[in-house]
Amino acid sequence: MGLSYRGRARALLEEAGAEDYDLLEMRTGSRKLSGILMPRPEILDDEHVVIKLDNGYNMGVAVAKISGVRVLRKGGAAPERRPPAPSAPRGGLPKVSILATGGTIASRVEYSTGAVRPTESPEELLDLIPEMGEAADVSYKSIMAVFSEDISPEDWVEIARAAASELNSGASGVVVAHGTDTMHYTAAALSFLLQNLTKPVILVGAQRSIDRPSTDAVLNLSSAVRMAAYGPAAEVMIVMHGSTSDDFAFAIRGVKARKMHTSRRDAFLPVNEPPIAVISSGGDIEITGRIRRRRGSGKVDVDPRIEPRVALIYAWPSITGDYLRAVSSSGYEGVVIAGTGLGHVPNRIISEIGELVDSGIPVVISSQCLFGRVNLRVYSTGRRLLAAGAIPAGDMLPEVATVKLMVGLGRGYRGDELREFMTSNIAGEISESIPPNSFPPCYRPGAI
Amino acid sequence: MVDVPRVRVGLEIHQRLATHKLFCNCPSELREDEPDYWARRRLRVSYSELGSIDPAARFESLRNRTFTYGAYSDATCEVELDESPPLPMNLEALEIALEVSLMLGMDPVDEVHTMRKIVIDGSNTTGFQRTALVAMGGEVKTSSGTVRLKTLCLEEESAYIISTAPEGATYRLDRLGIPLIELATEADITSPSQARETALTLGRVLRATGKVQRGIGTIRQDLNVSIEGGARQEIKGVQELALIPKIVEREAVRQATLLELRDRIRETVGEVRVSEPRDVTSALLGSKSRLIRRALSNGERIFGVRVDGLAGFLGVEIQPGRRFGTELSGYAKVFGGVGGIIHSDELPGYGISEDEVRALREALGADRSDAFILVLAEEAAASTALEAVSERLIQAGLGVPEETRRALPDGNTEFMRPLPGPARMYPETDVFPVKTGPLIERILRKGLPEMPDATIDRLQREYGLTREHAEMLLDEGRVGLFERVAAASGNLSPRYVAAILTSEMRALKREGVDVEGIGEESLSEIVSLVDSGILPKEGVRDALTEVAERGPAALEDLRRRKPPSESEIRDIVRKLIRDNAELVSRRGERAFSPLMGEAMRILRGRAPGSLVSGILKEELRRALRGTPRG
């Protein structure tokens, strides 16, 4: 066991031969304190030593006040967790593969940083959420352990391959446990990368880590496993809380989902369409949207071609043409602009957009409104953008348009071919029609 | 039952602070109205820091409960709903906690670390209570010795419980997150009365900061009570100081009786043996007992266990009016969610006949020396309930189990849950630690508030108040008001001002006047009306009553009301004498007293009594001169 302290605190503790989790006795003035030495998060200063008293409380003791440290008992190894109970496979249940990639859903408190960190033993989830094992013959694989903010297009391909492999080896569905921050990017990517999808692929996450009693992972994971095992949709979906209550989860089409709140359980909303399904806490599945149905057989493939060098930028009132030029000179092969309103940018940068297009860097226009379609024919600014060669994203979310442009460029599409790809519906990302019940009022009298 | 044995008592005082919530900016105000929104949640047990699942936490999670939370759109936020991480700790609350620590001579920690204390009865939406150790050490003097202080913690108040049932509970979120000081003493208290005195003294120190909430429920005491050979019991939720001695006494008796019971059990059977639960429904199928018939018609069945050789033990009284069987019943209720138990020491009873008791004994293989226990419920609930009862019975042969108990209004206590283990704390990683140094410097620069004893002495010395009035001003938080008002009232003695603020208010309260509703401003206004001669002293009580009933608006009328002139008073008095001519002629000057009372009633205290009595005397004499005595 090492010592997580630095600076002055480290010097003091090292001299006493102390390591994290040792039982120490410290003298401060006339007072004698004993407690277990707790690791100190790196972000905090080196002026304090943190001990856990036998009443369970942690407290920080100022290094300047400590006149002596003595190790009473060595702590030994880091706290061990209970070994997970081996899950006995149930006969006759559909097989569901859970692929863990990291994120809050597979995270716990790590004491060396004091922060939430990916866990190395995702089996703990099965022990905590027996509902999963009751619903399906669940297998578990940890394919990576990264926070979703660190997930890259290369990782999308790896996840897609792992999912396809599970589906092709008899799984009824795949559940990908994923951090929530960029879950909607990964969901969009899987929607385009997976070819001939015959079964459900579900991304699931948690806004409250599993070491908290109020974790949302219980409802999210059990609903995801249900949907993977029994849901009729051969779609890439995100399954997360449908409200602040633990009553039901939404299954949202991967190309129509967006994280719309930093911390709420029901942060993910479907944009421009209702959710695909509502899954009750009891496990009932009600289909509420258009779906491609499960198909009996056929191999699921992965088209791994993807061009990561696509920029997603915002249009804002003081944006300049120089900014756009900087983007192209940074080596990006394509640009998605989240424009204002119907898909506008300040008129003064339209000439630079034209230059980008002429130099072979496609520019796709989506809207930072998120809800609704872009329409470049209503106002003159839009018409100028069309004339400059910009590609309208329809009602695609900016993030989805970005992923799709990566895929299009990765497949080698350019010019009209790329325009055709971007404006055609491939995986449900462009709506034929936007129903009136697809916009969320934030104020709903009598409900949260 | 036994004599009251020697006790050791530790005290835990919880005091709400008068500042916004601890980890968000919502107000610390309680609501009475219906919440605007409801959310339903479940809690799942989590892994503890040191790797073992906490037994108390696990026990709650065994029950698959749904918790419903009522939120207010104008007074609660995403933090209470556990939809947003906590904001940084409320430093004003921490400053109050540090101030109390310093007043009590405690040793503040250098850096305050917020912890998560696992509580999954649903009273916190997160499933844990945020709590931080602020100070340790220190002591408090009582008339029967020094009591050492253990810890002062700053923590979140729990949600307000509206209702609870085995399948779930309903809470309001207005109370969740209000800052709370938890002040714990060592178990140095050795008598019931010392427990009360310690609670009073510590409560006064808390109130001396002037920054704590007042009123019902804003301060409550938990008691840790044990006797030699017994076990620590945490008794929760004592709101009345006056009840403390009785609770301590009765808990000591309970433990002593349980120890006696243990010895008798050992003598009788050695160790407690309880049979496996058995379905004994058939023994009572034809029963005329309403209880049994209702259970059966609800589809419930009857399950029983035999307790070898302990006939007569379940009916032993362990607290006045509370039998050992009631303790067992508490376990069955809490763990199994059943309505309670029926035990052999209360049978025949509940309409269960002698013959049926025989049939039950036969079904359970119990002879006359054995006891048995029945539970009416569905099988799963019954077996959980009986398992808990069996475990409690086995403990009875070993001694007193450590428990968390709830204080009852009569001074008894009932089982709430097992005493939680120590491994319930995780670091709250969402809240950064806070250094106390800068805050302590600030407090010391401003100076600590006066200690309650010093205040009581000073009020007597400087203002000539009685000790009783000085204590009342202190306990009712009116010292500041008193000093302001006394200084502003040049014509009134401080003693008189103190009497209005204390004994006058208490007298009205006893009469059922809602004196809590009289604000400080109104009180000070009434005194100033007296001081300026607009309101005679005799009118104070009526004025207070009116303000209590109608609010500060009543003061407007008082201010506008001019005192009646001397000639107006004389007219009233003359009319009074005329109307009571018979009384006057019969009693002569002795008619003064009844007439004076009547005159003051008519004037409703608008005129000073001395003036009225002078006029009445004159007019009475004048009337008597003109009227021959009959």
Side-chain angles (χ1 to χ4, degrees), chain B residues 11-277:
Chain B
L11 204 60
E12 242 180 51
I13 295 185
H14 297 89
Q15 169 73 62
R16 281 186 218 145
L17 304 185
T19 165
H20 72 81
K21 288 187 174 176
L22 193 52
F23 293 107
C24 69
N25 293 317
C26 289
S28 294
E29 281 163 24
L30 298 191
R31 298 286 286 255
E32 303 274 316
D33 52 333
E34 268 291 290
D36 300 319
Y37 307 109
W38 296 94
R40 275 169 307 278
R41 298 277 173 74
R42 283 163 184 269
L43 295 174
R44 196 56 64 101
V45 74
S46 55
Y47 292 82
S48 95
E49 187 177 6
L50 296 168
S52 58
I53 291 181
D54 175 79
R58 175 160 221 169
F59 141 68
E60 286 286 353
S61 79
L62 290 175
R63 310 191 292 173
N64 204 3
R65 306 182 78 200
T66 300
F67 303 108
T68 307
Y69 299 102
Y72 296 90
S73 51
D74 57 344
T76 56
C77 69
E78 291 180 341
V79 173
E80 288 99 329
L81 269 167
D82 185 38
E83 285 289 29
S84 168
L87 302 185
M89 180 184 274
N90 173 352
L91 291 185
E92 192 185 343
L94 180 56
E95 196 172 319
I96 301 168
L98 285 167
E99 196 171 88
V100 172
S101 310
L102 295 172
M103 287 173 77
L104 290 168
M106 301 183 80
D107 201 352
V109 303
D110 300 320
E111 199 179 55
V112 172
H113 284 246
T114 304
M115 309 296 291
R116 298 172 179 170
K117 187 194 269 187
I118 296 299
V119 180
I120 55 175
D121 61 2
S123 60
N124 292 65
T125 46
T126 51
F128 50 76
Q129 178 192 34
R130 298 188 182 96
T131 174
L133 177 68
V134 174
M136 293 183 289
E139 58 183 40
V140 61
K141 301 253 187 297
T142 72
S143 52
S144 45
T146 299
V147 177
R148 285 170 303 154
L149 299 172
K150 191 158 66 177
T151 50
L152 187 148
C153 297
L154 183 59
E155 53 190 38
E156 295 177 301
E157 176 69 287
S158 56
Y160 174 83
I161 189 157
I162 299 172
S163 66
T164 181
E167 58 277 10
T170 303
Y171 294 91
R172 277 196 335 234
L173 295 181
D174 49 343
R175 204 179 74 179
L176 180 65
I178 294 179
L180 207 60
I181 282 181
E182 187 214 68
L183 182 53
T185 75
E186 297 285 356
D188 287 350
I189 298 167
T190 52
S191 74
S193 62
Q194 194 188 12
R196 183 181 191 279
E197 190 187 340
T198 310
L200 178 69
T201 307
L202 293 175
R204 280 181 175 168
V205 171
L206 287 162
R207 286 188 291 275
T209 60
K211 293 164 198 153
V212 303
Q213 291 194 12
R214 312 184 63 91
I216 294 163
T218 57
I219 183 165
R220 55 180 190 270
Q221 285 85 22
D222 293 350
L223 302 166
N224 291 312
V225 183
S226 61
I227 65 165
E228 179 78 39
R232 193 166 77 91
Q233 308 294 319
E234 197 171 302
I235 299 171
K236 291 273 183 199
V238 186
Q239 298 201 1
E240 290 281 332
L241 277 186
L243 207 53
I244 290 177
K246 197 171 188 183
I247 289 172
V248 171
E249 217 166 89
R250 291 193 170 193
E251 176 54 29
V253 167
R254 191 184 71 92
Q255 293 191 31
T257 313
L258 287 174
L259 290 176
E260 210 178 71
L261 193 68
R262 173 198 65 188
D263 296 343
R264 283 179 49 211
I265 288 171
R266 284 179 178 170
E267 279 164 29
T268 317
V269 294
E271 70 182 38
V272 178
R273 277 180 303 276
V274 185
S275 72
E276 287 296 310

Side-chain angles (χ1 to χ4, degrees), chain A residues 145-201:
Chain A
V146 266
F147 277 138
S148 75
E149 57 267 35
D150 294 327
I151 280 186
S152 66
E154 289 73 32
D155 295 327
W156 298 340
V157 174
E158 196 184 329
I159 296 168
R161 284 194 165 122
S165 156
E166 294 300 318
L167 293 175
N168 292 333
S169 347
S172 291
V174 166
V175 172
V176 179
H178 196 287
T180 54
D181 277 15
T182 65
M183 189 189 272
H184 48 303
Y185 287 88
T186 303
L190 295 184
S191 303
F192 298 118
L193 294 176
L194 289 166
Q195 309 293 310
N196 185 34
L197 187 62
T198 54
K199 301 166 189 172
V201 170

Side-chain angles (χ1 to χ4, degrees), chain A residues 38 40 45 52 57 60 62 65 114 127-128 131 208 212-214 244-247 261 263 265, chain B residues 37 40-47 49 78 82-83 107 110-111 116 125-126 131 425 429-430 435:
Chain A
M38 299 304 288
R40 184 163 173 89
D45 64 31
K52 176 181 277 300
Y57 280 97
K65 290 192 193 167
D127 195 41
L128 189 73
E131 288 91 338
R208 297 286 168 285
R212 300 167 191 240
S214 64
T244 188
S245 293
D246 290 330
D247 289 350
H261 194 282
S263 57
R265 290 163 172 75
Chain B
Y37 307 109
R40 275 169 307 278
R41 298 277 173 74
R42 283 163 184 269
L43 295 174
R44 196 56 64 101
V45 74
S46 55
Y47 292 82
E49 187 177 6
E78 291 180 341
D82 185 38
E83 285 289 29
D107 201 352
D110 300 320
E111 199 179 55
R116 298 172 179 170
T125 46
T126 51
T131 174
M425 301 276 208
T429 47
D430 295 342
K435 293 186 208 3

